[in-house]
Amino acid sequence: MTIEAPRDERALRVVGKSLPRVEAAAKVTGSIAYADDIVLPGMLFCKLLRSRHPYARVLSIDTRAARAVPGVVAVLTGHDLPVNYGIMPTCEDEHALEHEKVRFVGDPVAAVAAVDEETAQAGCRAISVEYEPLEAVESIEQALVPPDDEPLHDYAGPANVHRLAALEFGDVDAGFARAAHVREDIFFFEGNTHLPMEQHSATAQVAGDKVTLWSSTQDPHYVHRALAKVLGLPMGKLRVVAAPHGGGFGGKCDPFSHEIVVCKVAMMTGRPVKCTLTREEVFYTHRGRHPVLMWVRTGVDADGRILAMHFRSALDGGAYGSYGPASTLYTGALQTTTYAIPAYRFEGARVFTNKAPCGPKRGHGTPQPRFALEVHLDKLAADVGLDPVELRRRNFVKPFSRTVNWLRITSCGLEEVTNRVLEASGYARRERRRGHGMGFAVSSYMCGAGLPIYWNKMPHSECVVNVGRGGVTLYCGATDIGQGSDSVLATVAAEELGLWPGDIRLVTGDTGLTPVDLGSYSSRVTFMAGNAAREAAAKMRALLVGVVADEEGCAPQEVEVRDGKVGRMTFEEAATLAEEHLGVLSAHGTYTPPEGIGGRYKGAGVGPSPAYSYSAATVDLDADPGSGEIRVNKVWLAHDIGRSINEMAARGQVEGGVYMGLGEALMEAQAYRDGLHRQPSMLDYKSLTFLEMPEVETILVETHDPEGPYGAKEVGQGPLLPVIPAVVSAVHDALGVWIDEVPVTPDKIVRALDARAKGKEARYGPKRFPDIPYPDLVKVVPPDAATAAL
Amino acid sequence: MEVPDGRELLRLSVNREDRLLLVRSHATLLEVLREDLGLTGTKHGCELGECGACTVLVDGTPQLSCLLLPAQVEGTAVTTIEGLARGSELHPVQQAFVAQGGLQCGYCTPGMVLAAKALLDENPAPSRDEIKEALAGNLCRCTGYAGIIEAVEEAGRMLS
């Protein structure tokens, strides 16, 4: 079946409007059931016993006393779940319950299921574990040195190095040799965590030989795959349902211990079982922003045009692999999607330490280098006597071009977001006085990863649209984590079928009922699931139009589909007639990213995307020269969204991204002392309240991407990225000191001011980048500008 | 029959319904609402009284149910998010949160809506600063708060 050419997009009736999200009423009444709200008859409650040692050998586990606690129904140890797993095929280094070694405070070693949560906790307390403590690895530097005890994992190395990467595109040395000016800087980005309002929760139930898991997961597809491996069950016997989601931000993208354990307990006992993490457990479950130490060297010509860049990163990965290999490459991949860098060298390393494992958080691996790169360019501009905005403009990537590392750029609103945000904020005319400053930065982000996390040739997203007496139902594996995924799908289907989003029934995020979608990560849903939904709904429209055209004796192109009507018939009449003629009314759509959007070298899988979004921010703040306290007055954020599917939801994503960026810039830190999280509670882990959150002026720029659904691109992650460097830049504008370490806390500002007062460098930040045994560079021939022109 | 050790016999008024309950003596109001009464709209967030997700109204005043024992609210009228709408008609505060994009994942929303209702009952036309002050004990990780402020302003207009 062929699809009609896209209709005249000026005639869009639903797409682009500001509409309430489809599940809003269920959320304001409290009737929506999140994972922890699920109650099943005869349900057991499960708790995990977690290590209190950062690093230790498990010598023995005695569970006899736990089994004797009245009300305890099952006790599990690692021997019950011996199969290893992990989100990435190259580092499946986790066990649901560790039985040989624990590698961070919080590593689970046993599980107890009981008639209620308190009894399960009493059971956990009754378990005695004999540990032999090992010397913990607490820093990147320490991880690079061969340990006295054994390394955390035996599959990596040298020392506790997990992953190394070294890539060169073009002749970097020649670029530096020709440069009129070369500058080097070192930066550190302290890690932070997602802090979703909802604690992770999972409930499993067995019926016959089939297991169902409801979980607060962002990607049921990958959980499904891990469960099949660890439980040794065919995928057809397992169903994973993403429950309505109380916030993800990347923190619910890995398969987790508690998800596997509840399935195993349900299989052992035949009873439903739930495990909900406490807030403290959520902090230790983590998978959040990596701490990254960065070194960057850039050479420019006399006009400030970049000739070469060399970027080094060292990631503190915590105790397990998680998404680590991807996280590592992401710290190097997207420098080139904002600036045209003709010669680029990237060397990256990720190390294991005895801390909660890091993973993906909003912007995965790219907010850290974005902070470093933008602040570095500010300093470079000052070196060569150029306005920092002008230096950037001279180096902006061009729309429909290809980067030196082979990434295909299509629509690109970089110039426009820059112009709009500078104009709105009055940046050039800003008030210059001590203690007041404005900062500016730009960024870009992917609209979905070009490749799946494990190698497979399935489409990245599939949708089915069924029509019948029950109305329209759309089935898609995509998962609404609060970002508005369901509303995007409903809006797209409504647009094609002449209905309203509220007319579309949705079945999403359910591996048993929906076709595959890889999940809510890498800002992929609007672009990928949106395209799949559009194809499915357009095919359904064609079916209905064909039948109505025959009935009404006209040509299909004369049948209008709008306002709940198909031609002269109501939608319901048309659907009934079509079912009479055609039987079951079902149409499907798929999306697979196009070939050739990235390179063919080792490591080329990270970075390619069917499109990139672009953001620019200006931040206005006051910084107290005495106390170092910062008050952010206003943030302007312009975002190239391609086209907004739902303007209100898009603005909400921008405002939320700015909020999260400010939290990371100013206060949020997942930091440790002796292996313990310094503030594993919402009381101590500071985040912005209503009182600290400034006004945000959101500017949506529409560049109509040629491949996005109706031209749409992502908005969930990109707008966070420029906020952090713009804050650092504004602090420098206000006080004349550079804070090269995030978060920018008052003590760091005071120390930088003190340093300047003593005649030292007016800066706070790391002073040295360690010697890292990077491998030999993989030299990649860059695309020839002529042959790569699109 | 005597009340066994570790249990408490309670008479609570929740959402205009009188309930007679036998609960664990140390259970919080939050746990009793969610587990004994099945009112799961009230959320666990931090377990420390810091995030506001468990907010309920006690005689119209916002209170953190994770820091209350149910015995402390005997003789009062407790309102949870389930008690705000009249049948299928949403309360104006709920309508405004829907219409103005005052929610995303929705997990903080029940507490946020109740805190906003309590504010507007006292002060139907609050300034932006008054809204921020009144809601500062309720955290949201999704919205950046802007949509919530607009929703409270809109609800104030609807109510007055």
PDB file of all heavy atoms in Angstrom, chain B residues 131-150:
ATOM      1  N   ILE B 131       1.945  32.828  45.667  1.00  0.00           N
ATOM      2  CA  ILE B 131       1.793  31.440  45.169  1.00  0.00           C
ATOM      3  C   ILE B 131       3.089  30.668  45.421  1.00  0.00           C
ATOM      4  O   ILE B 131       3.075  29.542  45.938  1.00  0.00           O
ATOM      5  CB  ILE B 131       1.451  31.431  43.655  1.00  0.00           C
ATOM      6  CG1 ILE B 131       0.067  32.045  43.422  1.00  0.00           C
ATOM      7  CG2 ILE B 131       1.506  30.013  43.104  1.00  0.00           C
ATOM      8  CD1 ILE B 131      -0.257  32.291  41.960  1.00  0.00           C
ATOM      9  N   LYS B 132       4.211  31.288  45.080  1.00  0.00           N
ATOM     10  CA  LYS B 132       5.503  30.597  45.257  1.00  0.00           C
ATOM     11  C   LYS B 132       5.744  30.265  46.728  1.00  0.00           C
ATOM     12  O   LYS B 132       6.206  29.176  47.059  1.00  0.00           O
ATOM     13  CB  LYS B 132       6.643  31.470  44.723  1.00  0.00           C
ATOM     14  CG  LYS B 132       6.650  31.611  43.213  1.00  0.00           C
ATOM     15  CD  LYS B 132       7.818  32.492  42.790  1.00  0.00           C
ATOM     16  CE  LYS B 132       7.851  32.701  41.291  1.00  0.00           C
ATOM     17  NZ  LYS B 132       9.009  33.520  40.890  1.00  0.00           N
ATOM     18  N   GLU B 133       5.435  31.219  47.589  1.00  0.00           N
ATOM     19  CA  GLU B 133       5.638  31.015  49.027  1.00  0.00           C
ATOM     20  C   GLU B 133       4.760  29.865  49.518  1.00  0.00           C
ATOM     21  O   GLU B 133       5.226  28.969  50.237  1.00  0.00           O
ATOM     22  CB  GLU B 133       5.289  32.323  49.761  1.00  0.00           C
ATOM     23  CG  GLU B 133       5.624  32.348  51.228  1.00  0.00           C
ATOM     24  CD  GLU B 133       7.126  32.382  51.499  1.00  0.00           C
ATOM     25  OE1 GLU B 133       7.857  33.133  50.817  1.00  0.00           O
ATOM     26  OE2 GLU B 133       7.557  31.638  52.384  1.00  0.00           O
ATOM     27  N   ALA B 134       3.502  29.866  49.092  1.00  0.00           N
ATOM     28  CA  ALA B 134       2.559  28.860  49.596  1.00  0.00           C
ATOM     29  C   ALA B 134       2.906  27.458  49.103  1.00  0.00           C
ATOM     30  O   ALA B 134       2.648  26.476  49.794  1.00  0.00           O
ATOM     31  CB  ALA B 134       1.141  29.224  49.167  1.00  0.00           C
ATOM     32  N   LEU B 135       3.474  27.364  47.901  1.00  0.00           N
ATOM     33  CA  LEU B 135       3.725  26.048  47.311  1.00  0.00           C
ATOM     34  C   LEU B 135       5.195  25.619  47.423  1.00  0.00           C
ATOM     35  O   LEU B 135       5.573  24.565  46.909  1.00  0.00           O
ATOM     36  CB  LEU B 135       3.295  26.027  45.843  1.00  0.00           C
ATOM     37  CG  LEU B 135       1.805  26.295  45.574  1.00  0.00           C
ATOM     38  CD1 LEU B 135       1.504  26.178  44.085  1.00  0.00           C
ATOM     39  CD2 LEU B 135       0.915  25.342  46.356  1.00  0.00           C
ATOM     40  N   ALA B 136       6.004  26.402  48.104  1.00  0.00           N
ATOM     41  CA  ALA B 136       7.448  26.119  48.127  1.00  0.00           C
ATOM     42  C   ALA B 136       7.777  24.792  48.795  1.00  0.00           C
ATOM     43  O   ALA B 136       8.859  24.241  48.594  1.00  0.00           O
ATOM     44  CB  ALA B 136       8.204  27.256  48.821  1.00  0.00           C
ATOM     45  N   GLY B 137       6.859  24.258  49.574  1.00  0.00           N
ATOM     46  CA  GLY B 137       7.097  22.956  50.204  1.00  0.00           C
ATOM     47  C   GLY B 137       6.724  21.781  49.321  1.00  0.00           C
ATOM     48  O   GLY B 137       6.852  20.632  49.739  1.00  0.00           O
ATOM     49  N   ASN B 138       6.262  22.055  48.127  1.00  0.00           N
ATOM     50  CA  ASN B 138       5.901  20.980  47.188  1.00  0.00           C
ATOM     51  C   ASN B 138       6.892  20.981  46.035  1.00  0.00           C
ATOM     52  O   ASN B 138       6.959  21.944  45.275  1.00  0.00           O
ATOM     53  CB  ASN B 138       4.480  21.205  46.652  1.00  0.00           C
ATOM     54  CG  ASN B 138       3.423  21.023  47.721  1.00  0.00           C
ATOM     55  OD1 ASN B 138       3.297  21.839  48.626  1.00  0.00           O
ATOM     56  ND2 ASN B 138       2.681  19.947  47.640  1.00  0.00           N
ATOM     57  N   LEU B 139       7.644  19.894  45.905  1.00  0.00           N
ATOM     58  CA  LEU B 139       8.634  19.808  44.818  1.00  0.00           C
ATOM     59  C   LEU B 139       8.011  19.202  43.573  1.00  0.00           C
ATOM     60  O   LEU B 139       7.154  18.322  43.655  1.00  0.00           O
ATOM     61  CB  LEU B 139       9.824  18.953  45.243  1.00  0.00           C
ATOM     62  CG  LEU B 139      10.664  19.453  46.416  1.00  0.00           C
ATOM     63  CD1 LEU B 139      11.796  18.464  46.706  1.00  0.00           C
ATOM     64  CD2 LEU B 139      11.234  20.839  46.122  1.00  0.00           C
ATOM     65  N   CYS B 140       8.481  19.689  42.419  1.00  0.00           N
ATOM     66  CA  CYS B 140       8.114  19.098  41.132  1.00  0.00           C
ATOM     67  C   CYS B 140       9.397  18.996  40.338  1.00  0.00           C
ATOM     68  O   CYS B 140      10.163  19.958  40.297  1.00  0.00           O
ATOM     69  CB  CYS B 140       7.109  19.977  40.394  1.00  0.00           C
ATOM     70  SG  CYS B 140       6.861  19.502  38.675  1.00  0.00           S
ATOM     71  N   ARG B 141       9.656  17.843  39.719  1.00  0.00           N
ATOM     72  CA  ARG B 141      10.899  17.677  38.952  1.00  0.00           C
ATOM     73  C   ARG B 141      10.666  17.834  37.448  1.00  0.00           C
ATOM     74  O   ARG B 141      11.615  17.791  36.674  1.00  0.00           O
ATOM     75  CB  ARG B 141      11.515  16.300  39.230  1.00  0.00           C
ATOM     76  CG  ARG B 141      12.070  16.158  40.633  1.00  0.00           C
ATOM     77  CD  ARG B 141      13.313  16.992  40.851  1.00  0.00           C
ATOM     78  NE  ARG B 141      14.507  16.398  40.255  1.00  0.00           N
ATOM     79  CZ  ARG B 141      15.686  17.019  40.199  1.00  0.00           C
ATOM     80  NH1 ARG B 141      15.819  18.239  40.673  1.00  0.00           N
ATOM     81  NH2 ARG B 141      16.722  16.417  39.667  1.00  0.00           N
ATOM     82  N   CYS B 142       9.404  17.955  37.034  1.00  0.00           N
ATOM     83  CA  CYS B 142       9.115  17.972  35.591  1.00  0.00           C
ATOM     84  C   CYS B 142       8.889  19.372  35.023  1.00  0.00           C
ATOM     85  O   CYS B 142       9.415  19.695  33.966  1.00  0.00           O
ATOM     86  CB  CYS B 142       7.862  17.162  35.281  1.00  0.00           C
ATOM     87  SG  CYS B 142       7.957  15.402  35.600  1.00  0.00           S
ATOM     88  N   THR B 143       8.053  20.163  35.677  1.00  0.00           N
ATOM     89  CA  THR B 143       7.468  21.318  34.984  1.00  0.00           C
ATOM     90  C   THR B 143       8.315  22.582  35.033  1.00  0.00           C
ATOM     91  O   THR B 143       8.072  23.507  34.256  1.00  0.00           O
ATOM     92  CB  THR B 143       6.110  21.697  35.605  1.00  0.00           C
ATOM     93  OG1 THR B 143       6.332  22.063  36.984  1.00  0.00           O
ATOM     94  CG2 THR B 143       5.137  20.534  35.550  1.00  0.00           C
ATOM     95  N   GLY B 144       9.268  22.654  35.977  1.00  0.00           N
ATOM     96  CA  GLY B 144       9.922  23.943  36.178  1.00  0.00           C
ATOM     97  C   GLY B 144       8.988  24.942  36.835  1.00  0.00           C
ATOM     98  O   GLY B 144       9.289  26.134  36.873  1.00  0.00           O
ATOM     99  N   TYR B 145       7.860  24.458  37.334  1.00  0.00           N
ATOM    100  CA  TYR B 145       6.883  25.201  38.141  1.00  0.00           C
ATOM    101  C   TYR B 145       6.052  26.228  37.366  1.00  0.00           C
ATOM    102  O   TYR B 145       5.020  26.682  37.872  1.00  0.00           O
ATOM    103  CB  TYR B 145       7.562  25.909  39.328  1.00  0.00           C
ATOM    104  CG  TYR B 145       8.307  24.976  40.267  1.00  0.00           C
ATOM    105  CD1 TYR B 145       9.690  25.046  40.420  1.00  0.00           C
ATOM    106  CD2 TYR B 145       7.619  24.006  40.999  1.00  0.00           C
ATOM    107  CE1 TYR B 145      10.363  24.192  41.291  1.00  0.00           C
ATOM    108  CE2 TYR B 145       8.288  23.148  41.866  1.00  0.00           C
ATOM    109  CZ  TYR B 145       9.665  23.251  42.005  1.00  0.00           C
ATOM    110  OH  TYR B 145      10.324  22.409  42.851  1.00  0.00           O
ATOM    111  N   ALA B 146       6.470  26.617  36.158  1.00  0.00           N
ATOM    112  CA  ALA B 146       5.788  27.721  35.468  1.00  0.00           C
ATOM    113  C   ALA B 146       4.324  27.390  35.199  1.00  0.00           C
ATOM    114  O   ALA B 146       3.426  28.196  35.461  1.00  0.00           O
ATOM    115  CB  ALA B 146       6.519  28.040  34.173  1.00  0.00           C
ATOM    116  N   GLY B 147       4.065  26.180  34.675  1.00  0.00           N
ATOM    117  CA  GLY B 147       2.692  25.784  34.362  1.00  0.00           C
ATOM    118  C   GLY B 147       1.829  25.708  35.614  1.00  0.00           C
ATOM    119  O   GLY B 147       0.617  25.968  35.565  1.00  0.00           O
ATOM    120  N   ILE B 148       2.449  25.368  36.723  1.00  0.00           N
ATOM    121  CA  ILE B 148       1.691  25.269  37.982  1.00  0.00           C
ATOM    122  C   ILE B 148       1.271  26.662  38.443  1.00  0.00           C
ATOM    123  O   ILE B 148       0.123  26.878  38.851  1.00  0.00           O
ATOM    124  CB  ILE B 148       2.530  24.551  39.058  1.00  0.00           C
ATOM    125  CG1 ILE B 148       2.830  23.118  38.612  1.00  0.00           C
ATOM    126  CG2 ILE B 148       1.809  24.561  40.409  1.00  0.00           C
ATOM    127  CD1 ILE B 148       3.812  22.362  39.495  1.00  0.00           C
ATOM    128  N   ILE B 149       2.192  27.606  38.351  1.00  0.00           N
ATOM    129  CA  ILE B 149       1.856  28.982  38.763  1.00  0.00           C
ATOM    130  C   ILE B 149       0.706  29.511  37.900  1.00  0.00           C
ATOM    131  O   ILE B 149      -0.259  30.084  38.408  1.00  0.00           O
ATOM    132  CB  ILE B 149       3.106  29.884  38.658  1.00  0.00           C
ATOM    133  CG1 ILE B 149       4.148  29.439  39.690  1.00  0.00           C
ATOM    134  CG2 ILE B 149       2.726  31.352  38.861  1.00  0.00           C
ATOM    135  CD1 ILE B 149       5.493  30.132  39.552  1.00  0.00           C
ATOM    136  N   GLU B 150       0.809  29.262  36.584  1.00  0.00           N
ATOM    137  CA  GLU B 150      -0.272  29.727  35.697  1.00  0.00           C
ATOM    138  C   GLU B 150      -1.591  29.044  36.032  1.00  0.00           C
ATOM    139  O   GLU B 150      -2.656  29.657  35.976  1.00  0.00           O
ATOM    140  CB  GLU B 150       0.112  29.472  34.232  1.00  0.00           C
ATOM    141  CG  GLU B 150       1.136  30.482  33.740  1.00  0.00           C
ATOM    142  CD  GLU B 150       1.844  30.040  32.462  1.00  0.00           C
ATOM    143  OE1 GLU B 150       1.240  29.283  31.682  1.00  0.00           O
ATOM    144  OE2 GLU B 150       3.002  30.462  32.268  1.00  0.00           O
TER     145      GLU B 150
END
